[in-house]
């Protein structure tokens, strides 16, 4: 059985890094710059956000941020609209990740 002092040290060594990571993640999310919006999604359209390791399926009217990657599975369709100039972009359905910032520049 752990002594109370040892248990406290263990909990602190586990909880403090978790809290710091959550604070850093929240700060990064607040500073993310919206550069586009997904205005059409048919079939399987996936996004990987900056700092994440996995793609997640997304739906229409999702905000897209600098650092986001999109991929469209074969037979799918996705169109995004850039925030800065209203330009639209049809993303190819070749399952290749595309950086949103490659087409949409951050608004000034």
């Amino acid at each position: 059985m752990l002594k109370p002092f040892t248990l406290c040290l263990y909990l602190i060594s586990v909880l403090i890094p978790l809290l710091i990571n959550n604070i850093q993640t929240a700060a990064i999310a607040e500073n993310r710059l919206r550069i586009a919006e997904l205005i059409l999604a048919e079939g399987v359209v996936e996004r990987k956000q900056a700092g994440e390791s996995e793609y997640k399926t997304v739906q229409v009217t999702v905000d897209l941020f600098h650092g986001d990657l999109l991929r469209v599975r074969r037979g799918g369709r996705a169109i995004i609209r850039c925030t800065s100039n209203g330009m639209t972009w049809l993303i190819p359905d070749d399952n290749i990740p595309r950086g949103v910032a490659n087409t949409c520049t951050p608004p000034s």
Side-chain angles (χ1 to χ4, degrees):
M1 182 172 209
L2 293 175
K3 295 181 180 180
F5 180 73
T6 306
L7 181 60
C8 286
L9 285 177
Y10 173 76
L11 289 174
I12 288 171
S13 69
V14 170
L15 293 178
I16 288 181
L18 287 174
L19 289 172
I20 290 172
N21 185 41
N22 286 345
I23 290 169
Q24 289 172 336
T25 301
I28 289 169
E30 285 181 14
N31 291 327
R32 295 187 62 200
L33 186 58
R34 179 180 175 265
I35 61 173
E37 177 184 17
L38 182 64
I39 60 171
L40 180 112
E42 297 173 349
V44 180
V45 179
E46 299 171 311
R47 172 179 64 175
K48 182 168 82 167
Q49 294 181 298
E52 292 186 357
S53 59
E54 295 185 20
Y55 282 86
K56 296 177 183 165
T57 303
V58 290
Q59 305 296 323
V60 166
T61 68
V62 168
D63 288 336
L64 302 169
F65 299 90
H66 192 272
D68 285 358
L69 296 175
L70 288 178
R71 69 180 179 194
V72 180
R73 300 282 174 108
R74 296 224 183 265
R77 213 166 142 213
I79 298 176
I80 66 172
R81 179 183 301 125
C82 300
T83 303
S84 63
N85 59 11
M87 188 175 90
T88 59
W89 177 34
L90 173 64
I91 301 171
D93 67 338
D94 54 10
N95 204 36
I96 295 175
R98 311 262 193 231
V100 176
N102 288 342
T103 298
C104 298
T105 56
S108 32

